[in-house]
């Protein structure tokens, strides 16, 4: 059984195991992160992403649309790798 199955069960909305585990259980959290890194491609926030981040961060407030830095980092990583970013955070992207 994969750790993800153990944590979330067959139903992705089921967090029985996760919510019953103490957030201080570092071993479980690190094991979950290791398993996630085997399932998903993890892209770094590197120098190219930092350049995109700075350019966008300077532009958005002038356009009247400031954005939370964490979301901006995700967007900068997507731009660096020519990826399409899909989000439910519409308030940051609709004028």
């Amino acid at each position: 059984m994969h750790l993800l199955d153990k944590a979330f069960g067959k139903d992705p909305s089921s967090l029985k195991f996760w919510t019953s585990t103490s957030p201080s259980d570092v071993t479980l959290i690190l094991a979950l992160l290791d398993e996630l890194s085997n399932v998903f491609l993890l892209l770094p926030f590197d120098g190219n992403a930092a350049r995109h981040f700075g350019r966008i961060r300077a532009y958005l407030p002038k356009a009247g649309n400031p954005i939370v830095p964490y979301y901006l980092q995700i967007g900068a990583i997507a731009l660096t790798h020519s990826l399409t970013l899909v989000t439910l955070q519409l308030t940051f992207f609709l004028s």
Side-chain angles (χ1 to χ4, degrees), residues 11 16 30 40 59 63-64 88:
D11 177 6
K16 292 176 187 172
L30 291 175
F40 297 102
Y59 169 78
L88 291 175

Side-chain angles (χ1 to χ4, degrees), residues 1-92:
M1 173 182 279
H2 287 284
L3 184 58
L4 292 175
D5 291 335
K6 187 176 178 184
F8 300 108
K10 297 295 180 189
D11 177 6
S13 64
S14 173
L15 299 176
K16 292 176 187 172
F17 180 80
W18 185 255
T19 56
S20 67
T21 304
S22 169
S24 64
D25 189 348
V26 175
T27 304
L28 174 65
I29 293 169
L30 291 175
L32 182 59
L33 289 173
D34 283 343
E35 182 132 349
L36 285 172
S37 69
N38 292 327
V39 175
F40 297 102
L41 174 63
L42 302 179
L43 300 172
F45 184 74
D46 59 13
N48 289 329
R51 282 188 281 285
H52 282 292
F53 178 93
R55 184 176 47 82
I56 298 166
R57 180 126 190 207
Y59 169 78
L60 287 178
K62 294 175 188 172
N65 197 9
I67 189 171
V68 176
Y70 293 122
Y71 295 127
L72 184 53
Q73 282 183 306
I74 294 167
I77 292 168
L79 280 171
T80 298
H81 297 279
S82 301
L83 299 172
T84 299
L85 179 63
V86 178
T87 181
L88 291 175
Q89 298 295 334
L90 299 178
T91 55
F92 297 129

